Amino acid sequence: IIASGPVIIEDGKVLLNREKKSDGVVSEWWMFPGVGAEDFDISLEEVCRREAKEEMGIDIKIIKPLRTLMIPRPDKEGLAILVHYLAKRTSEIQPGPETVEWGWFPLHELPAKTAPNVREIIKDLL
């Protein structure tokens, strides 16, 4: 899987969510908004913007690319290539139907079940 998503930080806190996957199972992992690229006719930046809108109901401005990671998928077999973008939220949060929980978490106090890529990217930013 190739996934793209925004890393949104405000006032020393990062926006994370938990979502219901396509198979109906709710992920136990806190993640950045974002999902696998389904359409390779658009850029990964556009995938990032689309997913922010679908999952959190927000418009974003991409500030810069961050590190791309290749990691084992936390809830399935296989690998994921995760393309991260530091982004700024430009509208109010209105979570989509697949988002079951979301919140702002202090950079130094991430939830216990935070996805490995989130920990890596936050460590880079600190």
Side-chain angles (χ1 to χ4, degrees), residues 83-112:
V83 181
H84 303 91
Y85 295 95
L86 186 62
K88 178 180 179 176
R89 175 174 63 102
T90 61
S91 63
E92 294 303 314
I93 294 172
Q94 298 175 349
E98 281 77 41
T99 299
V100 296
E101 193 173 5
W102 65 275
W104 293 98
F105 296 91
L107 298 175
H108 294 286
E109 298 174 31
L110 299 175

Side-chain angles (χ1 to χ4, degrees), residues 10-88:
E10 295 180 13
D11 301 320
K13 296 180 180 180
V14 62
L15 178 64
L16 301 176
N17 69 356
R18 292 179 48 241
E19 62 182 9
K20 184 173 28 174
K21 301 296 182 182
S22 58
D23 59 7
V25 175
V26 174
S27 174
E28 63 183 311
W29 297 96
W30 287 95
M31 302 181 201
F32 298 126
V35 76
E38 301 159 354
D39 180 357
F40 292 102
D41 290 333
I42 63 173
S43 70
L44 290 172
E45 292 90 348
E46 189 56 36
V47 171
C48 180
R49 286 185 200 92
R50 183 189 68 206
E51 291 309 314
K53 189 68 166 179
E54 285 180 12
E55 288 186 25
M56 301 305 297
I58 57 176
D59 296 311
I60 61 168
K61 176 183 177 192
I62 292 177
I63 298 168
K64 67 177 184 177
L66 298 173
R67 184 162 54 122
T68 296
L69 300 173
M70 184 169 67
I71 64 167
R73 295 178 70 179
D75 52 358
K76 294 183 181 176
E77 289 188 26
L79 295 174
I81 297 171
L82 306 174
V83 181
H84 303 91
Y85 295 95
L86 186 62
K88 178 180 179 176

